[in-house]
Amino acid sequence: LLYARFWHKVLYDLKLVSCVEPFQKLVNQGMILGADGQKMSKSRGNVVNPDDIVAAYGADAMRLYEMFMGPLEAVKPWKTTDIVGIERFLEKVWKAGQRPLVDGAGDDATMRVSHRTTRKVSTDIEHLRFNTAISALMVMTNHLLTLNEIPRDAWHRLLLLLNPFAPHIAEELWERAGMPPSISNAEWPTWDDALCEET
């Protein structure tokens, strides 16, 4: 923060930028502690090598775990054993991707879950509440696994909403669903407020 503001002020004084401050809002990420509850440091020997985590669980699982640990600005302890829960979630998404797809949006319950999840994830991303967005994706995935056939609209929504958090699995399942490449080029889904209301 100090250097970002300092250099921006220098550039402003030189009339190379037109605004006084470098950003309108700044969110500081909370510190990730070691498994021992202490600040991660090489001298304490409690540092986690991300390469090891990616090798063991995959990049998507690591990204999801980091965002699911808690609020972005909170101080959180790292627990490698907790990645197993995220790994199970990704396995459920993969399992859902093996179900047959049917055209349409599905029954009323499926449409409501789909639209609620779309609104929740969209709003949570905007407010940097990644952990609760991921929780909503877990709820939607569990609902889809209760179905023998998954409606295309619901499946496409789930993959689009999952993509910012787990881009590798989302891209693979998007392609397997016969959608044009790449999922990153697809439009973000919208929701119907009427379908988001509790019945």
Side-chain angles (χ1 to χ4, degrees):
L1 174 61
L2 176 65
Y3 287 110
R5 293 192 72 224
F6 172 80
W7 285 111
H8 193 88
K9 297 282 188 184
V10 169
L11 294 171
Y12 179 77
D13 289 346
L14 293 170
K15 301 191 184 334
L16 296 172
V17 294
S18 60
C19 54
V20 179
E21 294 291 339
F23 20 72
Q24 293 179 350
K25 182 180 179 183
L26 176 68
V27 177
N28 289 306
Q29 179 176 319
M31 188 181 304
I32 304 295
L33 305 176
D36 57 1
Q38 300 293 313
K39 180 180 175 182
M40 277 194 188
S41 97
K42 289 181 183 177
S43 63
R44 286 194 179 97
N46 64 354
V47 175
V48 175
N49 184 339
D51 292 339
D52 295 339
I53 302 299
V54 170
Y57 301 98
D60 281 345
M62 180 171 171
R63 285 169 56 98
L64 275 166
Y65 175 66
E66 286 181 314
M67 289 181 272
F68 190 63
M69 289 173 76
L72 182 66
E73 65 280 359
V75 175
K76 304 168 284 280
W78 179 274
K79 293 181 186 170
T80 301
T81 54
D82 288 353
I83 298 178
V84 173
I86 293 296
E87 192 177 38
R88 280 194 209 109
F89 165 58
L90 289 174
E91 286 170 1
K92 286 182 176 184
V93 172
W94 187 261
K95 184 178 176 183
Q98 311 315 304
R99 300 269 166 98
L101 294 175
V102 292
D103 290 338
D107 60 14
D108 186 64
T110 301
M111 285 192 297
R112 288 185 179 282
V113 167
S114 296
H115 284 258
R116 282 186 199 129
T117 305
T118 302
R119 181 174 70 178
K120 175 77 172 144
V121 172
S122 300
T123 305
D124 283 354
I125 287 175
E126 189 175 321
H127 294 97
L128 305 178
R129 294 188 300 248
F130 305 130
N131 57 324
T132 54
I134 293 166
S135 180
L137 292 170
M138 291 175 173
V139 170
M140 183 173 176
T141 300
N142 288 337
H143 173 79
L144 294 181
L145 283 172
T146 66
L147 308 174
N148 293 323
E149 298 176 319
I150 297 178
R152 283 186 190 278
D153 179 72
W155 183 241
H156 294 165
R157 280 176 186 274
L158 177 68
L159 295 180
L160 287 164
L161 298 171
L162 179 64
N163 186 47
F165 305 103
H168 300 97
I169 192 171
E171 185 73 56
E172 179 68 22
L173 291 171
W174 183 262
E175 185 177 321
R176 285 173 179 245
M179 298 301 291
S182 156
I183 191 172
S184 299
N185 296 328
E187 284 189 31
W188 190 255
T190 59
W191 65 88
D192 181 341
D193 282 323
L195 289 171
C196 295
E197 298 304 318
E198 296 291 339
T199 54

